[in-house]
Amino acid sequence: MVRSARKSSLSRLASCKIALVLLILLSGCAFEDIDRRAFVTSIGLDSPDTAGSTYKLTIKISLAKGDPKKIGSDFVLLHVNCNSISEGLDKLRSMSDKKLEYGHVKAIMFSEDIAKKDISLPIDYFMKRADIQKIAYMGIGKPSAYELLRFKPKEEAVASSYLFYTFERSRTQSPYVYAVPLYDASRRIMTPGLDLTLPVMDYERGNLHVDRMALFHNKQLKLVLRSEESMLLKLMTTGIRKDTFVVKTEDGSYSITTEKGTSTYQLDHGNDGATAKIAIKLRGALIEREDHAEAVTDAIKQAIAKESKAHIESEVRKLLIKMRDAGVDPLGFGLRYRARQFHHAKETAVWNGIYPKLEFQVHASVKDDDS
């Protein structure tokens, strides 16, 4: 028993020595305290300031405040000209005395010049980075991505939170645009028959306007819609709720507040060609005549109901033709076609010949809740 107890004590002693050695080895790990980290909240890509470079890369670093109740954001902008994003991030790392953390990046902005080239390369890079969230929102910044990141509204609590919440609100509250996260942008670029769309954020005279959509094809920016067209595109894609349509008739202009607007389509194709049949349903109330002080009566509502329906059908059809002629397909007509074909080797080439001749039939249903 004495020998057994001695062996047990030796075993415990050996275990303690091993644990001590492991603790010594662990003391050299690469852990960084929070005060030695710099949190990047947004990234911007512009054309370079100097020749011989590919990008002007900008990052926005949030600065912590001592008082959490204090309103206003503090940040630092670092930018560098580079030939690749990875090279630029390495250069930016040498410009900070802290470790750059990218796990809080919520907005990735591109200038219009970069978007007209090949936007797939930076999107692919950001998708491959494990430390950048795939739910980061993307957009086109005008006059540049740098100016958008430099924008500092008074009500912003954390650096870039204004951009993030603007993207978030666009999902349910904006009548013009809808947010596109990084993973969705990558999916649309890699999927034949479904083109990428990004919101355009205009910074002018201290104000930020987000009411237009940019449409892509083959990884390049092809078309920027007007605000009225952007509203119709959102109606046909994500739908709208509690938004206002302006209907112009021979008797004047009227505002229709929509409680809900949805759209569906059917794609018919045969030997004679293909036709897209779009059905639009709007439910709301006619509330105001814009160019006259006269009150909107029931007689006026009934008189312009047919004109409103014809106006919406005409404007939607014009937009569909405009997108078709520009070669962009944000609604995914090509993807719908490919999903119903069996000759996978030829379906994309066949659709590329069909789409320029695609016909459109639009039917709108406008229901007045007050009637």
Side-chain angles (χ1 to χ4, degrees), residues 133-193:
Q133 298 186 51
K134 304 304 180 286
I135 58 173
Y137 291 120
M138 309 184 67
I140 305 297
K142 296 190 67 175
S144 66
Y146 176 81
E147 290 297 329
L148 261 294
L149 268 59
R150 199 163 67 95
F151 176 50
K152 182 181 179 181
K154 295 181 179 179
E155 65 271 25
E156 187 178 57
V158 180
S160 290
S161 63
Y162 190 90
L163 287 178
F164 172 71
Y165 290 128
T166 299
F167 283 125
E168 279 286 295
R169 288 194 303 270
S170 70
R171 290 177 174 268
T172 57
Q173 297 182 22
S174 172
Y176 302 105
V177 302
Y178 49 92
V180 178
L182 176 58
Y183 72 86
D184 191 26
S186 177
R187 178 181 69 91
R188 286 175 173 269
I189 286 178
M190 294 189 298
T191 303

Side-chain angles (χ1 to χ4, degrees), residues 188 193-195 265 267 329-337 351:
R188 286 175 173 269
L194 180 64
D195 285 332
Y265 73 84
L267 188 63
D329 187 7
L331 297 178
F333 292 125
L335 182 61
R336 179 73 62 88
Y337 174 83
W351 173 252

Side-chain angles (χ1 to χ4, degrees), residues 29-45:
C29 67
F31 177 79
E32 296 281 352
D33 291 330
I34 192 170
D35 61 340
R36 302 299 301 168
R37 301 185 185 191
F39 295 96
V40 180
T41 57
S42 53
I43 300 175
L45 282 178

Side-chain angles (χ1 to χ4, degrees), residues 2-274:
V2 175
R3 183 177 298 177
S4 177
R6 184 177 298 174
K7 288 183 178 180
S8 179
S9 62
L10 291 175
S11 178
R12 287 196 297 269
L13 181 60
S15 299
C16 291
K17 290 180 178 180
I18 294 174
L20 181 61
V21 172
L22 292 176
L23 288 174
I24 294 174
L25 293 176
L26 288 174
S27 64
C29 67
F31 177 79
E32 296 281 352
D33 291 330
I34 192 170
D35 61 340
R36 302 299 301 168
R37 301 185 185 191
F39 295 96
V40 180
T41 57
S42 53
I43 300 175
L45 282 178
D46 291 299
S47 294
D49 296 328
T50 59
S53 298
T54 305
Y55 303 115
K56 174 185 175 181
L57 178 63
T58 306
I59 61 174
K60 191 172 188 176
I61 301 174
S62 177
L63 299 179
K65 299 187 295 288
D67 184 4
K69 297 181 180 179
K70 182 180 178 181
I71 298 177
S73 62
D74 295 323
F75 60 85
V76 172
L77 289 181
L78 299 179
H79 60 88
V80 66
N81 293 306
C82 55
N83 291 317
S84 65
I85 302 176
S86 57
E87 175 193 347
L89 295 180
D90 287 341
K91 289 182 178 180
L92 292 173
R93 186 172 57 183
S94 66
M95 298 168 61
S96 175
D97 63 335
K98 297 179 175 62
K99 180 181 179 181
L100 298 180
E101 295 284 352
Y102 294 93
H104 292 270
V105 172
K106 294 295 184 64
I108 302 174
M109 305 302 301
F110 302 91
S111 68
E112 192 171 11
D113 292 338
I114 295 297
K116 288 180 178 180
K117 296 176 182 178
D118 188 349
I119 202 173
S120 67
L121 298 177
I123 289 179
D124 182 62
Y125 173 81
F126 291 129
M127 280 292 294
K128 290 178 178 178
R129 285 202 55 130
D131 55 347
I132 292 181
Q133 298 186 51
K134 304 304 180 286
I135 58 173
Y137 291 120
M138 309 184 67
I140 305 297
K142 296 190 67 175
S144 66
Y146 176 81
E147 290 297 329
L148 261 294
L149 268 59
R150 199 163 67 95
F151 176 50
K152 182 181 179 181
K154 295 181 179 179
E155 65 271 25
E156 187 178 57
V158 180
S160 290
S161 63
Y162 190 90
L163 287 178
F164 172 71
Y165 290 128
T166 299
F167 283 125
E168 279 286 295
R169 288 194 303 270
S170 70
R171 290 177 174 268
T172 57
Q173 297 182 22
S174 172
Y176 302 105
V177 302
Y178 49 92
V180 178
L182 176 58
Y183 72 86
D184 191 26
S186 177
R187 178 181 69 91
R188 286 175 173 269
I189 286 178
M190 294 189 298
T191 303
L194 180 64
D195 285 332
L196 173 64
T197 62
L198 291 180
V200 178
M201 310 186 83
D202 290 284
Y203 177 66
E204 183 180 3
R205 298 178 182 178
N207 295 315
L208 187 63
H209 304 279
V210 191
D211 58 359
R212 297 188 297 157
M213 292 295 293
L215 309 184
F216 292 73
H217 180 64
N218 287 340
K219 311 169 186 178
Q220 296 176 329
L221 174 63
K222 295 295 185 180
L223 181 65
V224 177
L225 301 181
R226 294 180 287 108
S227 57
E228 297 82 3
E229 296 171 331
S230 300
M231 178 182 288
L232 295 176
L233 178 60
K234 183 171 183 180
L235 170 63
M236 290 186 287
T237 50
T238 63
I240 59 175
R241 293 183 64 89
K242 300 185 182 301
D243 296 321
T244 301
F245 270 97
V246 176
V247 178
K248 296 181 180 180
T249 68
E250 295 180 355
D251 298 328
S253 298
Y254 297 87
S255 295
I256 300 178
T257 297
T258 60
E259 183 68 23
K260 185 178 181 181
T262 59
S263 175
T264 58
Y265 73 84
Q266 178 181 347
L267 188 63
D268 297 335
H269 54 88
N271 295 329
D272 297 333

